[in-house]
Amino acid sequence: MEPILNSNEGKQVWYITGCTSGTGLSLAKKLLSLGHSVAGTTRDINKLKQLSIFNDKSFLGLQVDIVSSKSVRESIEKTIEHFGELTHVINNAGYGIVGSVEEVSEEEDKKLMDALYFGPLNVIRSVLPYFRSRNNGYIFNVSSIAGIKGYPRFGNYSGAKFALVGLTESLAQDVLPFNIKVSCIVLGYIATGFQSANDYCKNLIPEYQSRQIFGSIMKHIEETVTAGDPDKVADVIIENSTKSELPYNLFVGPLSTFEMAESKVNEITQQIQSQRERNSNILIEK
């Protein structure tokens, strides 16, 4: 028997970080149109107040500092108090920074990791006691194909997204006994404005030519790949929001997303096969 999501005939209550644009905003709009409830977070509540969804009676706008465990915990409590329950969480907030690993400063990297990794961890830790108590819940963590395959001049972003992919795989196994479903949404090239919004790090080193190289990568993608529609991405997420089983990686994007993932699998397979015989011969002799 499928678990009952809540007492109101399957009505869902979502907590969405980064709800003012892109996939987060598309998802919130779709959910509200379907009669569900949404708590949406932002660092600046004024950005939410400018959106039509802010005045929807089924929407709760929250100004949250996801780096602060206290701020996150209080926002989760407000969501449950306001709507009476919580059924789904999606860690969607984030941004990117461009530069080689040497160019990105410690301060810039820590800020990025806070937003892309430690922030989602705060949300996960805050919601799990409630989900365990009700023996049900869904957690979606938004990563990127750059969290499966590393790209030049985007290493710090990739590192954070790789970490989120690995965390999600382990988390899915941790909470399986509590009927909590977990999946990492691996996004490809989606028309959210994210790509153009990426900032370069402050201290670029001329020898790396980061502007030219990353710029040429983005130009190639824009010329050869048709971007995905964030509204259709929202549809895919919603389609998976009631399934009793979820893959711990949920790939969503143009065909290039899957081709890049397959190329990474092929690279790893080749490395394993070429190294297996020699590099496994390191056992202690008895």
Side-chain angles (χ1 to χ4, degrees):
M1 177 182 291
E2 285 288 319
I4 298 174
L5 284 177
N6 56 52
S7 60
N8 194 9
E9 298 182 354
K11 184 176 180 180
Q12 301 170 358
V13 178
W14 287 66
Y15 178 96
I16 304 175
T17 68
C19 202
T20 58
S21 62
T23 301
L25 180 56
S26 291
L27 180 59
K29 288 180 176 179
K30 290 265 185 178
L31 290 167
L32 292 170
S33 72
L34 292 170
H36 299 305
S37 299
V38 175
T41 82
T42 178
R43 290 174 293 177
D44 182 1
I45 196 67
N46 291 318
K47 290 183 178 180
L48 269 180
K49 288 180 178 179
Q50 297 171 14
L51 303 175
S52 60
I53 62 172
F54 188 77
N55 297 315
D56 192 302
K57 60 181 176 57
S58 295
F59 182 79
L60 175 64
L62 297 166
Q63 181 167 302
V64 179
D65 176 9
I66 63 171
V67 177
S68 164
S69 59
K70 179 176 183 291
S71 179
V72 170
R73 184 174 63 255
E74 289 177 349
S75 70
I76 294 287
E77 292 171 352
K78 287 178 182 177
T79 299
I80 296 170
E81 180 181 357
H82 185 82
F83 292 118
E85 63 181 324
L86 178 58
T87 62
H88 293 70
V89 161
I90 179 163
N91 284 302
N92 171 72
Y95 69 98
I97 189 167
V98 181
S100 70
V101 172
E102 182 182 355
E103 292 173 303
V104 177
S105 69
E106 179 181 3
E107 180 183 359
E108 289 171 322
D109 195 30
K110 284 183 176 179
K111 185 178 178 182
L112 188 68
M113 286 295 293
D114 278 343
L116 302 185
Y117 182 75
F118 290 108
L121 259 180
N122 282 337
V123 174
I124 290 166
R125 290 194 189 101
S126 295
V127 78
L128 279 180
Y130 178 74
F131 279 176
R132 285 191 294 103
S133 71
R134 70 197 300 276
N135 199 43
N136 196 32
Y138 287 80
I139 298 173
F140 293 98
N141 295 323
V142 177
S143 185
S144 163
I145 191 63
I148 300 292
K149 183 176 175 64
Y151 292 92
R153 310 309 186 268
F154 216 36
N156 300 76
Y157 177 85
S158 285
K161 289 301 190 181
F162 264 82
L164 194 60
V165 169
L167 171 78
T168 304
E169 183 175 349
S170 292
L171 176 64
Q173 298 171 76
D174 287 344
V175 300
L176 188 61
F178 309 113
N179 195 36
I180 301 170
K181 277 70 70 176
V182 180
S183 190
C184 194
I185 301 169
V186 182
L187 286 182
Y189 179 44
I190 311 298
T192 61
F194 171 81
Q195 291 79 10
S196 60
N198 290 323
D199 289 328
Y200 286 85
C201 61
K202 293 179 180 178
N203 298 311
L204 293 172
I205 300 172
E207 290 86 344
Y208 279 109
Q209 299 182 319
S210 290
R211 287 190 183 276
Q212 298 94 314
I213 290 175
F214 190 78
S216 66
I217 291 172
M218 289 310 305
K219 182 180 179 182
H220 174 74
I221 292 174
E222 290 167 356
E223 290 177 348
T224 60
V225 179
T226 301
D229 183 341
D231 288 340
K232 294 180 179 179
V233 173
D235 289 337
V236 173
I237 296 171
I238 292 170
E239 287 170 11
N240 284 273
S241 68
T242 57
K243 291 186 177 179
S244 57
E245 293 183 5
L246 288 176
Y248 59 78
N249 284 326
L250 186 61
F251 293 88
V252 187
L255 191 58
S256 61
T257 311
F258 298 84
E259 292 170 345
M260 287 186 280
E262 288 169 346
S263 72
K264 177 59 181 283
V265 171
N266 291 336
E267 287 174 6
I268 292 178
T269 300
Q270 189 277 327
Q271 290 171 4
I272 291 171
Q273 292 176 344
S274 66
Q275 299 169 28
R276 181 194 299 270
E277 183 175 353
R278 170 63 187 89
N279 293 358
S280 65
N281 187 25
I282 46 80
L283 303 180
I284 296 174
E285 295 185 7
K286 297 181 179 180

